[in-house]
Amino acid sequence: MPKPREGERKIENSGRPFMCTLHHPSWILGPMVYGICFCPLSKLSNLEALKVADSKTLSEAERERLFGKLDQARSFVGWALDILSPNLISTSMQRRAKYNLNSLSHDTAMALVQLALDQGVRVTQVFVDTVGPADKYQQKLQERFPEIEVTVRPKADSLFPVVSAASICAKVARDHVVKKWKFLEDLGNLKMDYGSGYPNDPKTKEWLSQCLDPVFGFPQFVRFSWSTAQLILDGRAVPVRWEDSEEEAGGPPAAGRGSGTPSLLSYFARTQAPTERQSHRFFHERGLETVADL
């Protein structure tokens, strides 16, 4: 988690601080950024005077301008972020013991509240944008922080200025990360015009189709667990079944054993006859070489 600067941590704690958390889970491209913003209740009018608003209603230039104002108001406003990579999100959602998006969101938000407490902020009120049913999320937060007054509301970033401020910090940070994203994969001459990154954006969908590798899937910039990505994989990628214990459990035959679907291992098997086929870029990029003996 990126640490806030000293000026952002050591804010005025003499009053009753006002604090919030929020999230941005909608995009299919790039990281998910969680933000927290807090200030004393005695300074709430100062925060409102900055005229912060829900980041989704603002242009990029307006968000940058308001972020600059928040940065200049460090004497009474503090903020911190937690940036979750697309790869972390997808692997968490698809591992054998699933760690679903709601649980991931809740745990990250609670960690940010705990960070504020650990930095000496006397938190008495928390305002949170909901993830899942608001009443259940509020109960979960209240049980974790029984001494804090918790309010969970849908669209909290448009209802409470402090949540609006946190949404601006999170969105500005995400914009910067996405613009400077370094692709580990060699995408050749593929244009990096991927639109807004929202699943229903036609430009984003088109880019996803173009960057798909039929065997290795998407670059790590993509949250491959999202349904939009899954549909493209199901329709255009090579069908592969993992060889596991399905047969022993009475399931369908494993790949390559009468199922009609090639085994994943068949893509890596060493043939007896020499081949002229060039290795896939996946292996070159990671410094992998074929070995004769194990």
Side-chain angles (χ1 to χ4, degrees), residues 89 92-95 97-101 103-105 107-108:
I89 297 167
S92 295
M93 294 175 65
Q94 293 197 331
R95 66 191 189 187
K98 293 187 183 297
Y99 186 23
N100 65 42
L101 185 61
S103 297
L104 180 62
S105 299
D107 291 346
T108 305

Side-chain angles (χ1 to χ4, degrees), residues 115-226:
L115 173 66
L117 293 169
D118 292 343
Q119 296 297 331
V121 180
R122 268 197 315 121
V123 180
T124 60
Q125 295 184 18
V126 174
F127 290 79
V128 187
D129 193 12
T130 191
V131 180
D135 54 344
K136 292 183 178 179
Y137 189 16
Q138 180 162 325
Q139 181 180 358
K140 187 175 184 178
L141 284 166
Q142 198 68 75
E143 291 175 353
R144 171 71 182 273
F145 304 105
E147 303 301 320
I148 299 176
E149 180 184 338
V150 177
T151 300
V152 177
R153 292 286 186 275
K155 300 182 179 180
D157 43 3
S158 62
L159 298 175
F160 307 106
V162 72
V163 186
S164 300
S167 76
I168 290 169
C169 293
K171 185 64 171 66
V172 167
R174 186 185 183 279
D175 288 343
H176 282 237
V177 171
V178 169
K179 283 182 180 179
K180 298 180 180 180
W181 186 269
K182 295 185 181 298
F183 285 86
L184 297 177
E185 305 84 3
D186 180 8
L187 301 181
N189 296 322
L190 180 65
K191 294 182 179 179
M192 294 296 108
D193 185 11
Y194 34 72
S196 66
Y198 283 104
N200 59 354
D201 185 336
K203 189 175 290 187
T204 299
K205 289 182 179 180
E206 177 63 23
W207 187 83
L208 286 170
S209 297
Q210 292 177 355
C211 74
L212 174 71
D213 184 282
V215 174
F216 298 105
F218 296 106
Q220 293 188 30
F221 186 55
V222 179
R223 302 179 192 176
F224 56 83
S225 58
W226 256 235

Side-chain angles (χ1 to χ4, degrees), residues 217-252:
F218 296 106
Q220 293 188 30
F221 186 55
V222 179
R223 302 179 192 176
F224 56 83
S225 58
W226 256 235
S227 59
T228 302
Q230 288 294 317
L231 288 172
I232 295 174
L233 285 169
D234 292 342
R236 299 187 56 191
V238 175
V240 175
R241 290 175 58 87
W242 291 95
E243 290 187 343
D244 52 20
S245 58
E246 276 191 287
E247 285 185 292
E248 298 176 9

Side-chain angles (χ1 to χ4, degrees), residues 7 10-13 40 43 70-78:
K10 295 179 180 179
I11 66 168
E12 177 189 341
N13 291 323
K43 297 289 185 179
L70 290 169
D71 194 44
Q72 293 171 1
R74 286 174 294 172
S75 61
F76 65 90
V77 174

Side-chain angles (χ1 to χ4, degrees), residues 35-57:
I36 182 175
C37 183
F38 43 95
C39 79
L41 287 178
S42 60
K43 297 289 185 179
L44 180 57
S45 59
N46 298 65
L47 179 61
E48 293 175 340
L50 297 179
K51 299 188 182 302
V52 292
D54 177 4
S55 64
K56 295 188 293 296
T57 67

